[in-house]
Amino acid sequence: MMVEKLDTRSCVFSLLYSVGSFAVACASLSTLNPSDRISVQKGALLISFGFVYFVALTEFLNKLLLRTPFGHSFVKRYRLRVSDVLDITNKYVDVGSKSKSSGLVSAVQAAFSCIAGLFVCRWSCPRNFLHASHFLSESYAWFAASYFFYDLWSMYKIYAAEAAIKLKVKLGLQSVVAGDNNNVGTGSNGGTAANGALAEKTLQALDDIPSVGQGTLSFVNPCKLGIPSFAKYLSTHPLMVFHHLFIGSYGLVVISYLRGGLGDCVFSFMFMMELSTPFVSFRSILSVMGLKQSKLYVINGLVMLVTFFWCRVFLMPYVCYYYSQVVNKPFFEAVWNLPWGCKASILALFLPQLYWFRLMVRGAMKVFFPPKNKRNTKLAANSCANEVSTNGETMKTSQSKDSEVRSLM
């Protein structure tokens, strides 16, 4: 197996592109007054800078882990595959019909959203709940919309990489999989090289399987071997598609135009709903690193559960209650008298949060109160998993993505 050459310089360039695009986006807002609105031209500029920022940030993180000495050391220490690295940088999670991205890039976007929401809340809410406005609410809606559109494609690339690995395993190419997906080895013996050459010679169709080159996942040809196309992926993940399109497009249109400059305080609370996302991301990262049995994983899970309830389940009724106090009406009367578009938007945003919180609670109950008849089964499964080996090398149990998928939230 050929050793992948280190390329720290390209990693730095990706970081400069990311930081530079964000800095220019901020500079474009420096001349605005707090109550100014964002024009379509400036909004198009912000969404363009947003695309550059999130794409470059993802590329930087991938190259940091795949193309630098620090990244190679990290990958070797936790025995990560390329798909594991992609999970860490922009995690793909699938539980039933729920799919979302919750890696480092998602955590960064969530942090920006919370900062913007907190700033707008402190500005608009004390002045006037309905009529006060700050340009940051509209400007960040434009900037962040690019993330939700890009994230659809990013999650598909990770999904395709996972499908490719499972496909190679089914074809009996575990040794080739290990080499292709780590790319951090210092060498290989003659037998491994011969097996890899034979496999590549006899299965030329595997060239269509996605791989990482220069730290970036290559484009995927919808595969004859079972890797779904992008359209197929979208059609089989309707809740994820709806969530991203609703937040990215409908949310942008509502914040920028349909609200008519009203409700800036309300939207600041919506921005702060992302507070739980960094903990969801960290939970996924710890899982990929094989640290699900650590105390840090349990503590982070509890914090994730509390913040998710506080920011996504409790917050929406609280905002409605806040509004009822402002208009001096009973809670249910105030909510019922809202325009139908507002009520439909509230339900579309609130109901998925209840579903996801239910999954989180079920997962937490299984961790803290496992069924007695499953405890012995789990111990036996762990014992067997530790003895499973391929070509003389023990496989990491965290690489069984079927079990990971069922446990992630």
Side-chain angles (χ1 to χ4, degrees):
M1 181 61 59
M2 183 178 296
V3 180
E4 188 173 358
K5 184 179 179 180
L6 300 180
D7 189 7
T8 306
R9 180 178 298 180
S10 64
C11 179
V12 174
F13 284 153
S14 297
L15 178 61
L16 292 177
Y17 278 123
S18 179
V19 174
S21 60
F22 182 76
V24 174
C26 293
S28 67
L29 304 174
S30 60
T31 60
L32 297 179
N33 295 317
S35 58
D36 286 347
R37 303 292 299 274
I38 302 297
S39 64
V40 175
Q41 293 81 2
K42 189 174 289 292
L45 186 66
L46 288 172
I47 201 171
S48 300
F49 285 132
F51 270 115
V52 175
Y53 174 78
F54 289 114
V55 172
L57 179 61
T58 303
E59 187 173 8
F60 162 70
L61 293 172
N62 287 338
K63 289 181 177 180
L64 178 66
L65 294 179
L66 294 171
R67 306 284 292 175
T68 65
F70 165 78
H72 281 201
S73 176
F74 181 82
V75 167
K76 287 180 180 179
R77 179 178 180 181
Y78 294 102
R79 293 174 294 173
L80 303 177
R81 305 166 301 173
V82 163
S83 60
D84 294 328
V85 172
L86 297 178
D87 282 348
I88 290 173
T89 58
N90 202 21
K91 175 70 181 177
Y92 164 82
V93 182
D94 188 352
V95 180
S97 60
K98 166 189 171 288
S99 304
K100 66 183 298 185
S101 181
S102 58
L104 292 175
V105 177
S106 299
V108 170
Q109 189 281 137
F112 285 160
S113 179
C114 290
I115 293 172
L118 181 62
F119 192 91
V120 174
C121 181
R122 291 177 62 86
W123 170 270
S124 299
C125 295
R127 287 170 170 79
N128 191 298
F129 181 85
L130 292 177
H131 298 283
S133 179
H134 195 281
F135 69 82
L136 190 58
S137 61
E138 291 186 8
S139 60
Y140 187 73
W142 280 101
F143 185 84
S146 60
Y147 165 79
F148 291 98
F149 299 136
Y150 161 73
D151 198 41
L152 288 173
W153 175 248
S154 178
M155 286 194 295
Y156 167 67
K157 293 194 294 183
I158 300 171
Y159 177 82
E162 288 287 346
I165 290 174
K166 292 179 181 179
L167 179 61
K168 286 184 176 183
V169 171
K170 288 182 179 180
L171 292 174
L173 299 177
Q174 289 93 337
S175 61
V176 177
V177 172
D180 285 347
N181 287 289
N182 285 322
N183 284 330
V184 293
T186 57
S188 59
N189 56 40
T192 302
N195 291 337
L198 178 61
E200 291 183 5
K201 183 176 181 180
T202 56
L203 291 168
Q204 296 296 328
L206 290 179
D207 292 338
D208 288 337
I209 291 179
S211 61
V212 168
Q214 304 296 325
T216 305
L217 189 63
S218 61
F219 284 88
V220 179
N221 294 324
C223 196
K224 324 143 193 174
L225 295 176
I227 300 176
S229 65
F230 183 54
K232 179 68 174 178
Y233 170 73
L234 295 180
S235 66
T236 55
H237 297 77
L239 185 57
M240 176 272 295
V241 175
F242 172 78
H243 172 75
H244 279 67
L245 293 182
F246 179 81
I247 299 297
S249 58
Y250 180 72
L252 171 62
V253 172
V254 169
I255 293 176
S256 300
Y257 298 105
L258 297 184
R259 69 187 179 107
L262 300 176
D264 210 46
C265 179
V266 175
F267 288 106
S268 70
F269 285 108
M270 301 303 102
F271 284 149
M272 288 189 287
M273 288 177 67
E274 292 289 333
L275 181 62
S276 63
T277 299
F279 301 104
V280 176
S281 300
F282 192 44
R283 182 179 185 273
S284 299
I285 292 170
L286 291 174
S287 176
V288 171
M289 294 168 60
L291 300 177
K292 293 186 68 173
Q293 305 302 321
S294 65
K295 292 183 179 179
L296 183 60
Y297 182 87
V298 175
I299 294 173
N300 179 79
L302 291 175
V303 176
M304 177 193 71
L305 198 64
V306 172
T307 55
F308 193 95
F309 172 79
W310 182 261
C311 298
R312 294 183 178 243
V313 177
F314 172 78
L315 188 62
M316 187 72 71
Y318 171 75
V319 172
C320 293
Y321 171 77
Y322 192 176
Y323 169 74
S324 69
Q325 296 299 302
V326 171
V327 298
N328 196 25
K329 291 183 179 180
F331 177 83
F332 291 105
E333 181 181 350
V335 174
W336 182 256
N337 289 333
L338 287 171
W340 282 104
C342 291
K343 288 184 282 190
S345 299
I346 290 173
L347 288 177
L349 187 62
F350 183 60
L351 292 181
Q353 313 306 325
L354 294 178
Y355 170 70
W356 293 332
F357 183 69
R358 172 177 169 269
L359 293 179
M360 289 184 176
V361 172
R362 288 178 59 185
M365 294 296 291
K366 291 179 181 179
V367 171
F368 292 103
F369 306 102
K372 292 183 179 180
N373 60 340
K374 290 187 178 181
R375 292 179 183 175
N376 294 333
T377 303
K378 182 178 180 181
L379 292 175
N382 290 337
S383 177
C384 292
N386 291 332
E387 296 177 0
V388 173
S389 62
T390 303
N391 293 331
E393 295 184 1
T394 302
M395 295 181 64
K396 189 177 70 172
T397 57
S398 65
Q399 292 182 357
S400 176
K401 294 301 176 182
D402 290 336
S403 61
E404 290 296 306
V405 160
R406 288 193 293 270
S407 62
L408 288 173
M409 291 177 280

